Amino acid sequence: MGKQHTPTFPQEVIDEYAALGVDLPALFSAGHLGTRMGVQILEASAERVVGTMPVEGNTQPYGLLHGGASAVLAETLGSVGSMLHGGSSKLAVGVDLNCTHHRGVRSGLVTGVATPVHRGRSTATYEIVISDEEGKRVCTARLTCLLRELPAK
């Protein structure tokens, strides 16, 4: 579904994960589902995560962007932000996602921007705004992730 993009990360985050032998772009990718849906993460930090997804291939029977597709984009972006906030010692697990769908989209690319609402020690909450190519809001979502300590190796 198009050219793959490598997300940009703050250098200190790249260095932290490189020291652990972790391929950061692979770790914070959209995963198999996101890849199948064409999700691309363009920018990633704990303060802001930006990603895109094509409408084509992600529609419901009426030809509109499927609400579940918007949820996949929102959860992907919010989870990446939560993981970056938690750092290399934590795992972010989504515990609550809600989406309000404002308007339909039939074609083009939608862009999601995730920004933090709350970043604590054990949870992180992100608001994700998904817009069409004209900048019109398509969906507003909120994701809360539990931040769990990684098991000892």
Side-chain angles (χ1 to χ4, degrees):
M1 292 206 118
K3 184 181 176 187
Q4 293 290 325
H5 297 277
T6 301
T8 57
F9 297 96
Q11 189 59 49
E12 64 272 10
V13 173
I14 293 171
D15 295 343
E16 176 185 356
Y17 284 86
L20 299 171
V22 175
D23 178 358
L24 192 61
L27 180 63
F28 293 108
S29 73
H32 295 294
L33 176 61
T35 299
R36 194 165 47 248
M37 295 178 71
V39 173
Q40 298 290 322
I41 299 172
L42 307 177
E43 173 188 331
S45 72
E47 292 76 32
R48 177 179 153 99
V49 182
V50 179
T52 62
M53 180 180 67
V55 174
E56 182 180 344
N58 294 313
T59 57
Q60 38 88 310
Y62 297 114
L64 298 171
L65 178 64
H66 194 292
S70 294
V72 167
L73 178 60
E75 184 146 0
T76 299
L77 300 178
S79 293
V80 168
S82 295
M83 286 291 288
L84 289 169
H85 164 66
S88 59
S89 66
K90 301 249 179 144
L91 174 67
V93 179
V95 294
D96 182 62
L97 173 67
N98 68 68
C99 302
T100 300
H101 306 288
H102 306 293
R103 69 176 64 244
V105 181
R106 292 188 179 277
S107 63
L109 200 64
V110 291
T111 300
V113 179
T115 54
V117 173
H118 167 78
R119 292 186 294 170
R121 288 187 304 259
S122 61
T123 63
T125 300
Y126 280 76
E127 177 183 61
I128 304 93
V129 174
I130 301 173
S131 304
D132 64 15
E133 291 179 321
E134 296 175 2
K136 293 179 180 174
R137 190 177 292 222
V138 173
C139 176
T140 303
R142 189 188 72 234
L143 172 71
T144 298
C145 288
L146 176 65
L147 301 175
R148 298 183 60 191
E149 292 290 332
L150 284 174
K153 290 184 178 183

